[in-house]
Amino acid sequence: MTNDDATRAVIDKLGDQPGETLTPERIEAIQTAMHEGLGRFINNTSYFVLGSYGEEERPRLEAVRDQLVSDAAASDSDDGVDAFLMDDILDVSEFFTSKFKLLVSYADHIVGVYEHSQGGHAWEAGYIDQPTYRKRTRAFYRIYETEEEQYAAYDGMFAHYLLSMERVDRAYTWTTPKNFVIVWRTPTRPIDVLC
């Protein structure tokens, strides 16, 4: 499949989204955006960092993003790395869900950093639980000191998602923002994040 074929396939998927009609102008804008901005996925190993964009949580997402890039720069590998949050990437669709689906389709790795299940990241986690994305996903989630705090932080559905990720060795825990540590080791990339 050529780049143009891949672009066309993504545009066709976007056009099939209920409620999002693609006019010829919108198709042209998406094609331009993909050729100019999403080319970053072709020559780099990409990491899409997910989680809450709340004022307290966002710094930890940014720390993970920055550490991924920093680790790559410090390694002897010639491979480029591009780690990003959703709002770091150009807007290719006026609908957040379509943009999200496009980005997870292209990302090599999906990294969820979770502290609770309040917000859009809970919907995102449900979407990436599909087999296509699950094998590229790692979840790092905060555990709390008491059962009551843990129960208040994560609703039942999200808690079961995290449990299912643990069962397939794709989930890791951390305790407090003061001691926020993410360690993800794979044969090709170690990740250590300390905040």
Side-chain angles (χ1 to χ4, degrees):
M1 183 180 279
T2 68
N3 246 0
D4 287 337
D5 291 340
T7 300
R8 185 76 242 166
V10 169
I11 290 170
D12 289 344
K13 283 183 189 176
L14 286 179
D16 285 343
Q17 298 297 315
E20 184 166 0
T21 303
L22 295 179
T23 64
E25 295 80 19
R26 200 69 193 124
I27 291 172
E28 183 179 348
I30 292 170
Q31 285 176 318
T32 301
M34 289 180 70
H35 283 288
E36 291 176 1
L38 296 181
R40 66 200 301 165
F41 292 100
I42 297 168
N43 300 318
N44 296 308
T45 299
S46 56
Y47 290 84
F48 188 7
V49 181
L50 307 177
S52 174
Y53 280 31
E55 188 176 314
E56 291 180 28
E57 300 92 344
R58 186 180 174 106
R60 287 178 281 285
L61 301 182
E62 292 170 344
V64 170
R65 176 199 61 201
D66 297 346
Q67 189 65 45
L68 286 163
V69 173
S70 176
D71 286 351
S75 75
D76 293 333
S77 174
D78 290 337
D79 296 340
V81 166
D82 188 15
F84 59 90
L85 306 181
M86 189 157 132
D87 62 359
D88 291 338
I89 301 289
L90 57 105
D91 189 16
V92 295
S93 172
E94 67 235 48
F95 297 101
F96 287 138
T97 56
S98 295
K99 179 180 178 182
F100 173 80
K101 290 173 184 178
L102 180 64
L103 294 176
V104 296
S105 294
Y106 275 89
D108 296 309
H109 303 281
I110 303 162
V111 181
V113 180
Y114 305 119
E115 299 187 45
H116 51 71
S117 60
Q118 293 82 44
H121 62 283
W123 179 89
E124 294 170 352
Y127 187 81
I128 61 174
D129 196 31
Q130 298 177 62
T132 304
Y133 306 115
R134 191 177 182 121
K135 62 186 175 189
R136 293 186 275 143
T137 301
R138 297 288 187 278
F140 299 89
Y141 71 96
R142 181 176 175 183
I143 55 172
Y144 292 83
E145 290 184 20
T146 69
E147 262 187 56
E148 292 79 23
E149 290 174 304
Q150 190 76 12
Y151 184 76
Y154 301 104
D155 66 32
M157 190 71 76
F158 201 82
H160 283 275
Y161 164 72
L162 296 171
L163 179 61
S164 73
M165 292 298 282
E166 273 187 24
R167 289 181 177 157
V168 293
D169 294 325
R170 296 193 170 280
Y172 311 87
T173 60
W174 52 281
T175 54
T176 65
K178 189 185 277 188
N179 299 331
F180 175 64
V181 177
I182 286 184
V183 178
W184 171 13
R185 303 233 181 256
T186 66
T188 57
R189 180 154 325 276
I191 299 171
D192 297 307
V193 177
L194 304 168
C195 288

